[in-house]
Amino acid sequence: MKALLVLAVYAVAGYAKILPEDFPQCKRSDPNLESCILQAVEVVKPRLLNGIPEVSIPALDPFSVPTLKLDRTANNLRLKATIKNMKAYGGSNFKIEKLRLNLNNKYVGEVRVTIPKLDVSADYDVRGSRILALDISGKGKFRSNFTDITVIAKGSAKPVVKDGVEYLQTDKIITKLKIGNGQVIIEDTERPVAANSAAAFFNGSPTIVLDILNPLVEESSARIFKAFINKIFGTIPLKEILVEDAL
Ligand SMILES: *[C@@H]1O[C@H](CO)[C@@H](O)[C@H](O)[C@H]1NC(C)=O
């Protein structure tokens, strides 16, 4: 009975915390907020591997993207594709090289992350598409290894109120991505011979093809990153992400 009463008081007062008690937290007023967050990330990192379902943090390794639709026309590139069951292994070895936040009037931030190696596999269905003069239409599975990946993500967020509780929501996120090297294996069920030459072409000059694909990869990674961040922001109240001094 007493415990129930305490619980009720906590609920009314809004003290029912979402984050586990042992989660590191940073104070909004911390003059070294960036280093506090970097340290917190290091502490939480091992738990990110499998995700934290209670707080909607998806598993980071492997990181899954159920469906990704691509549609882009540019110089040297026409690509219309559906990517399904994408799984990326290696993301949890990320290292934050730089973090800059500006919380004066807005929530603005920039982060620079490196990932030594990412092993990505997916099902694809590509229609009426070309890279340079190469017809890359087909359907099947691809596996790929990418190394020396650098991601710079810049974004802003704004507070939104849901059921009387304040959460952050991203406004805009843009990413810059650089991939050092890549190798692919393609198993195409429609046009295996053409797919093999496309793979050989890619593997022979990965940096050239990655350059051509870059705008598309950057746009997709920004979309994936935004969905990931919003899932976390949408579950954890702002005051638990950045603790106010009064608490
Ligand atoms: C990726 O690298 C692993 C070993 O690190 C290797 O077993 C695998 O075949 C490689 N995949 C591709 C697509 O090159």
Side-chain angles (χ1 to χ4, degrees):
M1 192 62 205
K2 196 172 167 197
L4 260 183
L5 193 67
V6 170
L7 260 182
V9 169
Y10 266 47
V12 169
Y15 287 134
K17 281 183 62 184
I18 298 282
L19 282 179
E21 279 307 323
D22 59 342
F23 239 60
Q25 289 188 313
C26 297
K27 276 192 178 173
R28 181 191 286 269
S29 62
D30 188 339
N32 299 310
L33 181 61
E34 279 106 339
S35 39
C36 176
I37 291 178
L38 289 180
Q39 272 173 26
V41 169
E42 283 310 308
V43 173
V44 171
K45 212 171 173 178
R47 295 161 76 168
L48 294 179
L49 204 71
N50 301 315
I52 309 171
E54 308 90 280
V55 288
S56 283
I57 297 181
L60 203 59
D61 211 341
F63 186 77
S64 306
V65 180
T67 308
L68 187 64
K69 285 204 186 287
L70 307 175
D71 189 350
R72 186 153 186 133
T73 303
N75 274 350
N76 298 332
L77 177 69
R78 191 170 78 217
L79 190 71
K80 224 177 157 62
T82 306
I83 312 284
K84 285 205 168 127
N85 307 318
M86 188 160 94
K87 274 199 164 30
Y89 291 83
S92 62
N93 295 320
F94 73 89
K95 184 161 178 261
I96 301 182
E97 307 283 348
K98 197 174 110 185
L99 174 70
R100 267 189 19 219
L101 294 171
N102 182 348
L103 306 181
N104 285 335
N105 304 309
K106 290 179 88 177
Y107 294 84
V108 181
E110 176 175 342
V111 63
R112 181 191 166 97
V113 176
T114 54
I115 304 171
K117 184 174 171 224
L118 215 49
D119 178 337
V120 184
S121 63
D123 301 326
Y124 65 87
D125 188 336
V126 182
R127 301 286 133 203
S129 301
R130 294 184 165 275
I131 293 180
L132 296 169
L134 204 65
D135 180 350
I136 53 159
S137 302
K139 184 177 175 163
K141 281 183 192 301
F142 76 81
R143 286 188 294 132
S144 52
N145 284 333
F146 300 105
T147 50
D148 297 324
I149 302 155
T150 305
V151 188
I152 299 174
K154 291 186 200 183
S156 57
K158 58 169 189 269
V160 292
V161 177
K162 250 189 335 200
D163 297 329
V165 180
E166 207 175 19
Y167 295 89
L168 273 183
Q169 188 181 69
T170 58
D171 254 340
K172 191 174 158 189
I173 289 187
I174 53 170
T175 60
K176 286 274 154 215
L177 203 104
K178 202 173 156 290
I179 300 174
N181 212 335
Q183 290 292 304
V184 294
I185 296 174
I186 305 180
E187 288 161 25
D188 199 284
T189 52
E190 278 181 358
R191 303 170 64 236
V193 177
N196 278 345
S197 28
F201 174 67
F202 178 88
N203 294 333
S205 19
T207 48
I208 293 177
V209 181
L210 287 171
D211 250 16
I212 296 171
L213 290 176
N214 192 262
L216 190 69
V217 175
E218 286 183 344
E219 185 197 302
S220 311
S221 59
R223 252 156 62 195
I224 293 168
F225 194 58
K226 187 170 178 171
F228 180 72
I229 296 283
N230 275 337
K231 210 161 189 179
I232 298 173
F233 280 173
T235 316
I236 307 172
L238 175 55
K239 68 172 184 194
E240 288 191 48
I241 293 177
L242 290 172
V243 182
E244 302 288 349
D245 285 314
L247 291 181

